[in-house]
Structures are given as structure tokens and as C-alpha cells.
Amino acid sequence: MHAARIVACLLVLFGVRSSVCSLPCDFIDSVNITDGERLPNDEIRHNGVIYNKTYYRVIDYDYQDFATKRYVPNYVRGCLCAVRICVRLCCGEHEYLGKRCTHTDDYLPILVNVSATEAVDLRNHSLYGFLYGKPCEQVYELLPEESSADEWSIARNGSLIIADELLIQRNQYCLAPRQNNGFASGLVCFTTNEEFKYNLYPVGMLLSVPFLLLTFFVYACIPDLRNMHGKSLMCYVLGLSVGYTVLSMVQLRVFPGLSASCVISGYIVYFSFMVSFFWLNVMSFDIYWTFKGVTGVRSSETKKFLLYSLYAWGCPILLVATAIIADYTDILPIYLRPQFGTTRCLFVENKLIEFLYLYMPLLILVFMNVVFFVITALRIYKIQCETSVVRRGDSKRHTKLDNDRDRFGLYLRLFIVMGVTWSLEIISWAVDNNAWIFYVSDVCNCIQGFLIFALFVLKQKIKRLIYKKFGIREIRQEQKTSSCSTRTTATMVSSYQESKSDNPLVTRESNAI
């Protein structure tokens, strides 16, 4: 009961629509069914579609242009896309598109291509349902009769496919029947700003990847860095590298929509980022355990790393397995399935789905990291106060404490970098993806690779190890030391001779003594 209340509070806190007090789907994917026919078992039939009580709610709000929320008298709204393949029409139910949406009492077919050889009237197809109204302010019409690049068809999930390769989600286009009863027109949203943002974002991530790979190879090539902490960092940056690379490819539309490669890439991105989250959690726990001072509990570095690996690789595997089982079985209702590869390569753009499968695990891990770091900081302060006098005579203990404290500071800076980045990501997700903070979080994501490289590689100790590995620093140091020694010796001899000639009495007295 308490756990359910906590989850409900989190849902409300981060703007997720709970299935108890509001729609179990995104508002834009629902329709007003207040005038529907009431059936037994609390079901409602509207426009030939039957909604059970799982897929409709009595709500008191509406959205103007799907953007501005406003409160209205109670009415019933059903999640059409949960029970039918949704297709959005630009105009109302009995309207066609001329210069503007115009009412008519005539039958208007929605004739579209569903493949290269098959055209169907969606109004006579029981699998499809219709949403109404343009999803955006400005749209442009596809003209396949003038350009083959504008040829389009409707996919099995209701998305629009342009030229057999570009996948347009159902809330980024609309169809418009014509009065001449010909093929319906396809109109796509202008996305100038969105295209700029989504094209710039993957380029920025790809620029970050080389720094992550450099960090990985530095720690992989130098034996002194391949301790338990170095291996944990290598796993962490490896997860980020793979995640950034594949996500960039997805954003750049390398994988065709609805293809097997698209679905697989979605699972890879999800797994990779989860791996990075859990390895950051491992590093936070390890530094906490180092300063906890538990006696009688010792294990080898190898055993400890194997246990950490079981946790940090195993949990993401379980999460991905859960998503796959949810997608390919009927264990969960449709509105709780991630649906990888349906409207995009990743899971569907739905607040509830994104929270359950991504942001809830992230919030739990961030909270655990904060607790570990706070406890560790207090422990370090206590140790310094207790041993400030005693450890002066114990250089070995002093060195170990300083090393552990430096490592804590390093991980703390890493957590601050990652914590701020993902906190901004969560805020931008909860508020609005078009908000200014979305761009701030994107910039932070794009420079993560350089920040990690600067934290863990651009250090004097690491640079000395690199120079030692390739035999660079020692040669220069020996030459510099030899040159300095020669100059120092010559200066001392010269000064001594001058002193001897200027003060002969002092010299004779010294010899006499």
C-alpha cells in the first residue's frame, strides 16, 4: 500500500497521467465519447468502437490546440489508439479539405495506399479509428503525382511512410479527404525548429564519443589503471559510448522505420544507457563501502568486481527482458507496453511509459547515489577529525586516506556532472520537450564525453602514467634533471672559487683549525 502511494506521488510530481484520476493514454491520442452508447459491464460504444472501462475516463480538462490546458465540465474521453490503429484527419468527422475545412453530408472515403499494390478505404476497415484536428499549426501537402519523393502510404501502426524510408508518427501528420472522392491527401507538419534540434543533437553526441573512447583506451592500455575502480569506469564509459553512437544513428534515421534493425537499435540504446546508470551507481556504492569501515568483511578485487558486474550488467538485462516480454506477450495491457519500434525505434512517446521504463529507474538510482555520497562525505569528515593527530606519524595510513578521499572527490564531481545533466533531462521531460531547458540538457549531454575525459584523463598522475607507458616523460625528465644538475654544480664551484679568492683569511683559519 505504501509503495503504491509513493508511486502515485511520483506520477503526480512528474506530470505523469495516472490511470486512476486521468487518462491512461496521452490526451492527443484520445477522443470525446460522451455521446456514446452505454453497454453492459460499463462499456461504451462510439462510432463503432467499443471501449471498456480500462480505456476511458471521466475528466474535467481539455487542451486548446493540444498545448494549453483548460478546465471544463466533466465529460467522457476514450483512448482510441489503445483499441484501434489510429489515423488522424485534418478536419472534423463530416468535413473535407478545400481551401479550408468544409462541412458536407456526403460520404467521404479515406482512400489511401497501405502497400505498393493495395489501396483501401479506411472508413470501411474495422482495424482503423480516427482522431480529428491538425496536430500542429502549419502543415504542407505531399504531392506524389508531382514527385516520387512524396509518395506515401499508411503503415500497419498508423504511421505515414514517405518514399518507403521516412517514418512520420501519427501525431506529426494528418489526412484530408477530398470532395472529388479521390485519394485522400497527406499533410505533414512543418518541423523546421524540431529538425534543427534533432539533427544537431546527434552530431553533438557523436563529437562526445571520441573522448569517451579515449578515456576507455587509456584505462585499458595502462596496467596501473586496470584496478577495480578503473574497470568500473571503463564499463561506464563503454555503455555511454555505445548508447550515444546508436542513439545518434537512430536520430539521423540510419535505420528504416518499422524494420528489425530499428527495433534492435532501440533495445541497444535502452540497454546501453541503463548499463551506464547502474555502473555509476556501482562507483557511488564502492566509494561509500570503502569509507564505511566494515570490519570482518573482506573480498578480493576480482570477486568484488564480479559481484558488481553481476549487478550492473544483470539489472539492465532484466529491464530489457521485461520490455521484450511486455511487447511480445499479452501480460500487460497495451498502454503499459513500451512498444519499441512501433512509432519510433525507441519506446513510444508516452509520459507513463517513459516514466515506468526510463525515468523511474533513473530517479531511484540518482536517489541512491545522493545517499551514498552524503554518507561518505560525513564519514570522511568524521575520520579526518578523529585521526588528524594520530595519522601524522603513520604515513602509509595517511597516503591511503588521501587516495581514497581523492577518489571520492573524483566520483563526486562525476556524479555532479551526470546528476545535473539527467536532472535537467527529467525536468525538460516533465515540463515540455520544447521548453528552453531541453536545449540546456542537450548541451550538457553533448559535452559529457569531454567532461569525463577531463576528469579522469587530464590529470598529472594519469599523464605521468601515459608518458611512462610510451617512454616519453622519463627521457625528458632525465635530460632536464641532468641539465639542471650541471648548471647547479657549475654555479656552486664558481661561487666557491670567488668566495675563496675574496676571503683568504677565512680559508687559512679554517685550515689551521
Side-chain angles (χ1 to χ4, degrees):
M1 180 64 69
H2 293 293
R5 291 179 179 176
I6 293 173
V7 171
C9 292
L10 289 172
L11 293 174
V12 173
L13 177 63
F14 290 97
V16 179
R17 296 166 190 138
S18 166
S19 61
V20 175
C21 59
S22 60
L23 288 171
C25 61
D26 282 345
F27 185 89
I28 197 171
D29 292 333
S30 64
V31 293
N32 189 336
I33 60 172
T34 305
D35 58 349
E37 177 188 358
R38 296 281 178 170
L39 301 176
N41 300 324
D42 295 326
E43 294 178 333
I44 298 178
R45 180 191 289 120
H46 182 266
N47 286 346
V49 179
I50 296 178
Y51 300 83
N52 63 38
K53 59 184 179 181
T54 304
Y55 299 117
Y56 71 83
R57 295 289 183 272
V58 177
I59 61 174
D60 62 350
Y61 60 90
D62 196 356
Y63 282 88
Q64 184 176 0
D65 298 325
F66 304 111
T68 306
K69 187 174 183 178
R70 59 185 180 182
Y71 289 97
V72 297
N74 289 352
Y75 70 105
V76 183
R77 199 165 186 93
C79 296
L80 176 65
C81 300
V83 293
R84 288 289 187 274
I85 300 173
C86 284
V87 174
R88 180 169 292 281
L89 301 183
C90 304
C91 300
E93 185 174 356
H94 299 289
E95 294 180 336
Y96 68 92
L97 184 64
K99 291 184 178 180
R100 61 182 62 87
C101 292
T102 305
H103 179 80
T104 181
D105 293 327
D106 297 334
Y107 175 78
L108 296 173
I110 310 295
L111 189 61
V112 300
N113 290 318
V114 292
S115 70
T117 59
E118 183 182 4
V120 299
D121 180 2
L122 299 184
R123 288 194 189 276
N124 293 330
H125 206 298
S126 60
L127 292 179
Y128 293 90
F130 299 106
L131 303 168
Y132 298 98
K134 291 192 300 182
C136 48
E137 292 184 6
Q138 294 182 326
V139 294
Y140 66 93
E141 184 176 357
L142 297 172
L143 301 173
E145 63 277 6
E146 297 182 7
S147 172
S148 60
D150 277 358
E151 291 181 357
W152 60 272
S153 60
I154 296 297
R156 293 189 302 272
N157 65 350
S159 298
L160 187 78
I161 302 178
I162 302 176
D164 293 329
E165 59 181 21
L166 182 59
L167 186 69
I168 306 297
Q169 300 174 21
R170 62 172 174 259
N171 291 322
Q172 292 297 318
Y173 81 93
C174 61
L175 302 181
R178 294 298 186 177
Q179 193 177 20
N180 60 9
N181 292 337
F183 277 84
S185 297
L187 293 90
V188 181
C189 294
F190 277 110
T191 54
T192 306
N193 292 334
E194 292 294 309
E195 287 296 323
F196 173 76
K197 176 178 67 177
Y198 285 112
N199 286 334
L200 183 63
Y201 184 46
V203 172
M205 287 192 296
L206 288 176
L207 292 176
S208 191
V209 170
F211 293 101
L212 293 172
L213 293 178
L214 279 174
T215 304
F216 178 87
F217 286 121
V218 165
Y219 276 75
C221 293
I222 300 177
D224 291 345
L225 298 178
R226 290 200 300 268
N227 51 21
M228 204 282 299
H229 318 299
K231 291 177 182 178
S232 299
L233 179 65
M234 289 166 60
C235 293
Y236 170 72
V237 298
L238 181 63
L240 278 185
S241 300
V242 175
Y244 278 178
T245 302
V246 181
L247 180 58
S248 299
M249 297 171 68
V250 170
Q251 295 281 3
L252 293 173
R253 297 168 181 165
V254 174
F255 307 107
L258 300 179
S259 65
S261 59
C262 178
V263 178
I264 293 172
S265 66
Y267 286 120
I268 291 175
V269 170
Y270 182 55
F271 174 76
S272 300
F273 280 115
M274 283 299 161
V275 164
S276 67
F277 297 153
F278 277 95
W279 274 109
L280 181 61
N281 184 241
V282 162
M283 290 187 282
S284 304
F285 173 79
D286 183 66
I287 197 67
Y288 154 80
W289 190 260
T290 299
F291 282 95
K292 188 178 179 182
V294 178
T295 57
V297 182
R298 294 183 178 275
S299 59
S300 65
E301 291 285 302
T302 302
K303 183 178 179 181
K304 185 188 293 186
F305 182 71
L306 288 176
L307 292 174
Y308 287 161
S309 297
L310 181 64
Y311 166 76
W313 294 102
C315 289
I317 290 174
L318 288 177
L319 288 172
V320 172
T322 301
I324 293 174
I325 292 172
D327 272 343
Y328 293 97
T329 65
D330 296 327
I331 295 177
L332 296 177
I334 187 68
Y335 66 89
L336 291 179
R337 299 176 191 173
Q339 303 176 57
F340 280 86
T342 53
T343 59
R344 58 176 182 172
C345 296
L346 300 175
F347 40 67
V348 294
E349 288 184 284
N350 178 284
K351 291 285 189 181
L352 182 59
I353 295 300
E354 291 170 343
F355 178 79
L356 291 176
Y357 289 91
L358 177 62
Y359 292 104
M360 186 170 69
L362 177 58
L363 283 170
I364 294 173
L365 292 174
V366 169
F367 176 77
M368 292 171 62
N369 293 343
V370 170
V371 172
F372 290 147
F373 280 120
V374 169
I375 295 176
T376 304
L378 294 176
R379 180 65 181 169
I380 290 175
Y381 177 77
K382 182 179 179 181
I383 291 175
Q384 287 180 328
C385 292
E386 291 176 350
T387 63
S388 58
V389 177
V390 176
R391 69 188 180 95
R392 290 176 184 171
D394 191 348
S395 59
K396 186 175 181 181
R397 183 180 178 186
H398 175 77
T399 302
K400 184 180 185 305
L401 180 62
D402 284 345
N403 289 338
D404 290 340
R405 186 177 58 192
D406 291 342
R407 185 159 58 91
F408 166 76
L410 197 62
Y411 287 171
L412 179 61
R413 291 193 293 273
L414 174 63
F415 172 71
I416 290 174
V417 170
M418 295 298 298
V420 170
T421 299
W422 285 103
S423 295
L424 292 174
E425 183 75 20
I426 293 172
I427 293 172
S428 67
W429 163 79
V431 178
D432 180 12
N433 278 350
N434 294 319
W436 63 269
I437 200 169
F438 184 89
Y439 298 96
V440 176
S441 66
D442 280 355
V443 171
C444 292
N445 279 324
C446 291
I447 63 174
Q448 269 187 32
F450 174 74
L451 293 177
I452 292 172
F453 179 76
L455 281 174
F456 289 94
V457 177
L458 296 183
K459 300 170 57 181
Q460 286 301 121
K461 177 182 177 181
I462 305 300
K463 286 194 287 186
R464 283 196 297 267
L465 291 174
I466 294 174
Y467 292 148
K468 181 180 178 181
K469 172 70 176 178
F470 296 100
I472 300 173
R473 183 72 175 182
E474 288 78 7
I475 296 174
R476 292 182 179 178
Q477 185 66 34
E478 287 173 4
Q479 291 176 347
K480 183 177 179 182
T481 303
S482 175
S483 177
C484 291
S485 300
T486 303
R487 288 196 300 269
T488 302
T489 303
T491 303
M492 292 176 63
V493 170
S494 176
S495 299
Y496 174 75
Q497 290 175 347
E498 290 177 0
S499 175
K500 184 176 180 179
S501 60
D502 292 340
N503 302 284
L505 293 178
V506 175
T507 304
R508 284 195 295 271
E509 288 176 0
S510 301
N511 291 335
I513 292 173

